[in-house]
Amino acid sequence: MRFAKRGWIGLGIIIGGYLVAAGWVWTHSAPLIPDRPVTIRIAHWQVEAGPPDGMDAVIKRYEQLNPRVRVLQQLIPGIVYKQWMRTNLASGSGADIIEWGAWLEGVRDVPARYFEPVTEALGQPNPYNKGTVLEKTPWQKTFKDNLQGSRNDSPDPGQIFGVTMTECSVRLFCNRQLLREATGSEHVPQTFDEMRKIFLQLDAYSQRTGHRVMGIAGAKDNAEWLLQYLLMDTTLGLNFSIDDSGMLSMYNRQVLAAYLDGRWNWSRPEVRAGLELLRDVGRHMKPGFLQLQRDEATREFLAGDALFIFTGTWDATSLKRLASFEVGALRFPQPAKDDPIAGPYLIGRFQDGGGVTAMAMHLTKNSAHKAEALDFMRFMTSLEGQQLFTDGSGWLPATLEVKIPPAIQSFVSPLDGYTMCQPYSIIGSTVTMEFERNLHLLLGQNGSVDRYVAELDRVMPAAVRADLQTEVSSTLITLRAQDARMIAQARLSGPTQEGIYHAGQRALMESGQTLAEATTMQMMRQLKTAGPAE
Amino acid sequence: MLTVPRVTPLPYLRCLYPLILLLSALSGRAAPAPDLPTAWNDIADSKAKLALVKLGRADTSDRAVQLARATASLDDQPVSDGDLRRAEATFAQLAQGHDELAEQAAYLQARVWQIHLAQPDYARAAELYRALAERNPRSHWAQLGLVKLALVQLYALPDPADPAARLAGAAALLSRVTEPTLQRDLQLQLGQAGIFYKQPLPSIIAHLVAADRIGGTPGAAGEDLILQIGELSLRAGDYATSRAYFERYLRDYEVNPRCFTVKEKLQQIAAHEAAAKGGRP
């Protein structure tokens, strides 16, 4: 009897649990029968405040125009994005449109394997631009940079895989109210030296009020971005001097190869000057900032405990929405030629962002609804789609002729500087890791430029070799796969329209492969023959 | 490592195979021929596993099916050296024929030795490219093989040690490459190799200009090429060529951030030209 009673209780718990689970699934899952015939999904990692709202606005309008299609936005946090992308694409269950970037380590082979080139469509006008000034402009030419980033990152030179949504720059965000209180003026720093003077005024303000206010909100991420920025400034002349190819810009592999050739090292005065500038600014970040992540710097700035925060415009919407004060976005003041630290190495202003568009979206090869997905890509990058995205996200548009709201006008960087710059701290993942791992030798309590560069020059030869080797390995994966695809295109070639298309694809792939193969073989030879150390 | 689910029937359906075979034998029909165009489409689409399922495993004397299977196996991840050696043997056998299929097989055989095997054999690859070009000099695959042979000579083979001799050896192949796009690609690579080996600027520029004259260099490389000719000509003191290419760059790529630098370069040229005329910049 007692056993039977306990059995009924157990059964009741099981049934209850089942009903709760069923109710949860019923109310929280997608409808069993889709409300529209076609559903497409777009996935990206821009989970900051702004972009999801902008994309929602684009989707809402698109669904009005296309009642057959439902568009779902998938927000995937950056920390798991690569794993998510790899797993979903390999299993064939990836979203129809996916964000990808060439700097994501370990997924360089993804475009060639899983994305569909959109080159042909880009040669035609975007139908969603009908009735606008871009009506007759080929889709590719409607982007501010003609998709330069997507062209550079393409595994098949000649093919374009991604269309972009925005343009980013880095800015010095300012708490204007605090600036007035601390300096008695609304004047923002125009030069590096003026910024130094404001930092001194801030120290006096802190002593006067008893409220300790730092010059710049501190965190490891923000310090690294700042270091990249400052190094770009001081190493501009060095970069021009090692540009053997005459491209007036340097690819990462070229900077790495020049290091192996002994053309530069971290002890170079230009590099040391950049590091010295960071130490100069680092003194105005709170102690221990190297242990903190970017969220902590944002919190410090929003709490009014720091006058400035140095970050990309990708954080701008979050800052503006969450701040209880007016936030100004300034171009970071670049040192002038009379600067005691950087002056001797400066050759002119460098380009602080802008010019190259980003947030590249790609069409998945396995999409069950390629035509609809491509159509949505056209809409989201059309004049109307980009206006909706810009207004909703607070991010700059990638498309020409979009009206930029006054609130974000200051994010636009005029093309008024050199672009040769190469951030020496991010030229390869192992190099970056060593750079970051040893940053305490520069910015820690007993840190110095001497200690930092001595350690970097000790560990970097191996790190540079590792990064070049990674570059070789990942390119070889793409090259090998292309052999099979090229022969397949040749076998499918013929006099029909489809056959002619395949012949064109084969020719394009052959030229692209030769370009990439030659570069890879150069790197292999470099690794085999060049110093300074194994 | 990438894994793509293998498309196989449910295991318990295997018990029906004998019955299917018996029925097909009784009906006097052979097993359906593999759907080659669909399989090639799959290979072109990076779906080698799917292609291999469609191609089946039955022994066949059909050379096209053999080529398709061996080609797909090059991209059927994970690929082992054993897989590659089997594919290489198939390519070698197919290369004995006298048709385009044989040329494609011969080309792929050389590619296996050059870039597919974990330990490449560049000398063997070079030998196979040469043999293909001697047998069918006008074949597209032989012509493409000559471009690859040039790359192997420029960067991979141990000899000659002297960079100028390497370049001369590769440049000697130019006269045998008659297809314009491949001629362009080879000219471009000779120019880039000249830069890599720090050869005199005039010879580098000559190759780059020759590549540009043929035109159609794909992607960002086409844009880089114009700048390279402009900048290297400036360094060589050929201001007229430099000006022409920099001005062309500003016309063709007006939105590129490098335009700022190009405008600065044009000012430098103007200063040089003025100085040469004895005037002030």
Side-chain angles (χ1 to χ4, degrees):
Chain A
M1 181 69 191
R2 229 171 66 194
F3 175 79
K5 191 178 174 185
R6 280 165 63 183
W8 280 112
I9 291 171
L11 189 63
I13 291 171
I14 291 169
I15 292 171
Y18 173 80
L19 289 175
V20 169
W24 179 269
V25 170
W26 184 257
T27 53
H28 288 76
S29 64
L32 291 176
I33 302 165
D35 57 345
R36 297 189 183 205
V38 174
T39 299
I40 57 173
R41 288 170 297 147
I42 177 167
H44 61 86
W45 68 76
Q46 312 302 161
V47 297
E48 302 94 337
D53 300 341
M55 191 61 80
D56 275 342
V58 176
I59 290 171
K60 191 175 170 191
R61 176 65 179 143
Y62 182 79
E63 288 180 345
Q64 281 174 359
L65 295 171
N66 297 275
R68 284 181 60 250
V69 183
R70 171 73 66 213
V71 184
L72 300 177
Q73 181 178 197
Q74 288 182 284
L75 304 176
I76 316 294
I79 199 159
V80 296
Y81 195 83
K82 286 188 293 184
Q83 294 84 338
W84 173 88
M85 181 164 58
R86 173 70 77 193
T87 314
N88 279 271
L89 287 172
S91 66
S93 58
D96 303 85
I97 303 167
I98 292 183
E99 185 179 13
W100 175 87
W103 63 90
L104 295 171
E105 287 296 330
V107 287
R108 291 280 304 277
D109 60 313
V110 160
R113 286 188 184 283
Y114 301 111
F115 295 153
E116 183 93 7
V118 288
T119 324
E120 218 168 292
L122 284 164
Q124 308 297 320
N126 182 344
Y128 285 104
N129 282 332
K130 200 170 178 188
T132 74
V133 288
L134 300 176
E135 179 173 1
K136 291 179 180 164
T137 310
W139 188 15
Q140 185 184 340
K141 295 271 182 190
T142 64
F143 293 90
K144 286 179 179 174
D145 61 345
N146 291 346
L147 293 173
Q148 192 193 347
S150 294
R151 281 182 290 138
N152 287 348
D153 299 338
S154 174
D156 291 350
Q159 295 282 22
I160 301 175
F161 288 76
V163 294
T164 49
M165 291 295 291
T166 191
E167 183 184 358
C168 294
S169 55
V170 284
R171 288 291 180 266
L172 187 66
F173 292 91
C174 171
N175 179 338
R176 286 189 184 277
Q177 187 184 326
L178 191 55
L179 181 73
R180 272 195 301 273
E181 287 170 15
T183 68
S185 158
E186 292 197 357
H187 179 74
V188 292
Q190 302 295 323
T191 65
F192 200 82
D193 204 43
E194 280 185 13
M195 192 173 67
R196 285 189 182 112
K197 284 173 184 158
I198 287 176
F199 287 155
L200 291 177
Q201 287 177 294
L202 211 53
D203 288 341
Y205 171 80
S206 295
Q207 282 180 356
R208 198 168 65 236
T209 60
H211 173 203
R212 183 79 177 121
V213 176
M214 304 310 298
I216 296 194
K220 187 167 170 281
D221 305 303
N222 303 68
E224 283 165 8
W225 295 332
L226 193 52
L227 179 55
Q228 289 163 22
Y229 186 90
L230 296 170
L231 280 175
M232 282 196 272
D233 199 7
T234 59
T235 58
L236 205 49
L238 171 63
N239 281 318
F240 275 106
S241 75
I242 59 175
D243 174 29
D244 292 342
S245 67
M247 290 179 189
L248 305 183
S249 68
M250 300 279 283
Y251 291 102
N252 281 359
R253 60 181 160 76
Q254 293 173 311
V255 182
L256 294 171
Y259 179 82
L260 283 188
D261 262 351
R263 307 276 299 279
W264 68 275
N265 58 34
W266 272 270
S267 303
R268 285 281 298 238
E270 299 92 332
V271 183
R272 291 178 65 98
L275 299 173
E276 197 63 69
L277 283 180
L278 183 66
R279 270 183 64 80
D280 202 18
V281 178
R283 277 196 283 272
H284 302 282
M285 294 180 179
K286 73 175 170 190
F289 69 88
L290 281 177
Q291 312 302 321
L292 306 174
Q293 303 298 312
R294 58 190 276 207
D295 289 349
E296 191 55 34
T298 304
R299 193 211 57 75
E300 185 188 358
F301 178 73
L302 292 174
D305 293 336
L307 178 58
F308 300 114
I309 183 169
F310 181 80
T311 185
T313 50
W314 52 85
D315 275 336
T317 307
S318 303
L319 293 175
K320 289 190 174 181
R321 282 188 189 173
L322 297 172
S324 57
F325 47 81
E326 186 193 351
V327 177
L330 325 172
R331 296 181 82 177
F332 191 90
Q334 297 185 10
K337 287 199 173 179
D338 60 356
D339 188 275
I341 299 171
Y345 312 108
L346 301 180
I347 62 164
R349 185 176 182 82
F350 76 90
Q351 186 59 37
D352 55 357
V356 180
T357 57
M359 196 177 167
M361 296 296 185
H362 300 78
L363 178 61
T364 307
K365 208 178 266 182
N366 281 334
S367 164
H369 304 292
K370 264 188 214 172
E372 288 83 358
L374 181 63
D375 192 61
F376 180 68
M377 287 166 82
R378 285 188 176 114
F379 180 73
M380 72 187 185
T381 57
S382 68
L383 224 161
E384 183 185 4
Q386 280 277 288
Q387 193 67 63
L388 288 165
F389 179 76
T390 301
D391 294 344
S393 65
W395 282 28
L396 289 174
T399 301
L400 294 164
E401 305 294 338
V402 175
K403 287 190 185 115
I404 296 173
I408 61 169
Q409 192 68 48
S410 59
F411 300 174
V412 179
S413 286
L415 299 180
D416 60 356
Y418 295 105
T419 52
M420 161 59 84
C421 41
Q422 174 65 45
Y424 280 65
S425 57
I426 56 167
I427 52 181
S429 60
T430 320
V431 168
T432 306
M433 191 187 71
E434 292 294 357
F435 222 90
E436 293 174 1
R437 197 169 62 84
N438 292 296
L439 211 48
H440 67 100
L441 296 175
L442 177 72
L443 299 170
Q445 212 167 19
N446 299 314
S448 71
V449 172
D450 285 340
R451 285 188 68 195
Y452 191 51
V453 299
E455 180 61 11
L456 287 190
D457 275 332
R458 190 184 72 77
V459 298
M460 283 302 180
V464 167
R465 282 182 176 279
D467 283 342
L468 262 183
Q469 189 57 60
T470 303
E471 183 87 13
V472 167
S473 304
S474 50
T475 314
L476 277 176
I477 291 172
T478 307
L479 292 176
R480 289 172 181 147
Q482 282 174 333
D483 275 345
R485 292 168 61 205
M486 271 160 43
I487 295 290
Q489 299 285 10
R491 300 299 302 177
L492 293 165
S493 300
T496 62
Q497 198 180 346
E498 202 184 327
I500 292 166
Y501 166 80
H502 286 296
Q505 293 295 301
R506 192 218 70 221
L508 208 54
M509 203 179 287
E510 280 174 6
S511 289
Q513 190 198 44
T514 297
L515 285 167
E517 192 170 326
T519 305
T520 308
M521 293 179 80
Q522 280 188 0
M523 287 188 280
M524 289 161 81
R525 184 154 188 86
Q526 194 89 31
L527 280 166
K528 198 173 169 187
T529 59
E534 284 287 344
Chain B
M1 190 58 70
L2 283 179
T3 53
V4 177
R6 188 178 284 275
V7 181
T8 52
L10 293 171
Y12 56 80
L13 289 181
R14 284 181 188 153
C15 62
L16 297 176
Y17 284 180
L19 182 64
I20 294 166
L21 283 174
L22 180 67
L23 287 174
S24 91
L26 285 175
S27 66
R29 286 183 195 168
D35 181 1
L36 261 178
T38 314
W40 281 121
N41 257 314
D42 286 337
I43 298 169
D45 233 7
S46 301
K47 296 173 187 165
K49 276 195 195 301
L50 209 54
L52 285 168
V53 169
K54 285 176 185 157
L55 291 166
R57 292 183 176 187
D59 284 342
T60 177
S61 57
D62 187 335
R63 294 168 68 241
V65 174
Q66 289 174 9
L67 179 72
R69 281 182 189 158
T71 306
S73 72
L74 295 180
D75 194 26
D76 180 27
Q77 303 297 336
V79 185
S80 68
D81 266 16
D83 298 332
L84 292 171
R85 288 188 190 281
R86 276 189 289 280
E88 195 267 349
T90 306
F91 293 140
Q93 187 198 335
L94 293 171
Q96 303 304 314
H98 299 282
D99 52 6
E100 197 191 8
L101 188 148
E103 293 155 9
Q104 290 166 343
Y107 174 78
L108 284 177
Q109 189 192 359
R111 295 296 287 168
V112 170
W113 290 106
Q114 190 202 331
I115 67 161
H116 288 266
L117 286 167
Q119 291 297 323
D121 185 336
Y122 297 115
R124 176 81 179 122
E127 186 186 319
L128 289 165
Y129 286 134
R130 282 193 200 100
L132 175 59
E134 274 161 28
R135 203 164 60 235
N136 293 301
R138 294 209 164 271
S139 143
H140 170 74
W141 301 99
Q143 298 262 303
L144 180 60
L146 286 172
V147 177
K148 305 295 185 184
L149 173 62
L151 296 184
V152 171
Q153 287 185 349
L154 285 169
Y155 302 112
L157 291 176
D159 295 317
D162 174 32
R166 274 181 191 275
L167 278 156
L173 298 171
L174 269 173
S175 61
R176 298 167 67 187
V177 178
T178 52
E179 284 188 30
T181 52
L182 296 176
Q183 170 91 205
R184 174 201 64 205
D185 293 348
L186 182 51
Q187 290 279 15
L188 181 59
Q189 290 315 318
L190 288 167
Q192 305 298 355
I195 294 169
F196 183 78
Y197 288 117
K198 300 179 175 50
Q199 296 298 295
L201 284 176
S203 65
I204 294 170
I205 295 166
H207 286 302
L208 297 180
V209 169
D212 178 59
R213 284 200 180 125
I214 297 169
T217 303
E223 189 176 334
D224 288 341
L225 178 61
I226 298 173
L227 281 182
Q228 283 186 292
I229 299 173
E231 174 63 9
L232 298 180
S233 300
L234 174 59
R235 291 180 196 172
D238 181 355
Y239 302 130
T241 304
S242 179
R243 173 186 291 286
Y245 275 88
F246 280 144
E247 285 177 347
R248 181 175 145 197
Y249 186 84
L250 291 181
R251 277 197 309 275
D252 293 353
Y253 302 99
E254 56 185 336
V255 293
N256 191 291
R258 285 185 284 188
C259 285
F260 177 86
T261 312
V262 171
K263 286 173 188 163
E264 295 279 310
K265 293 285 175 183
L266 283 168
Q267 284 179 15
Q268 280 179 30
I269 293 169
H272 283 303
E273 287 172 339
K277 285 179 189 164
R280 290 181 170 218

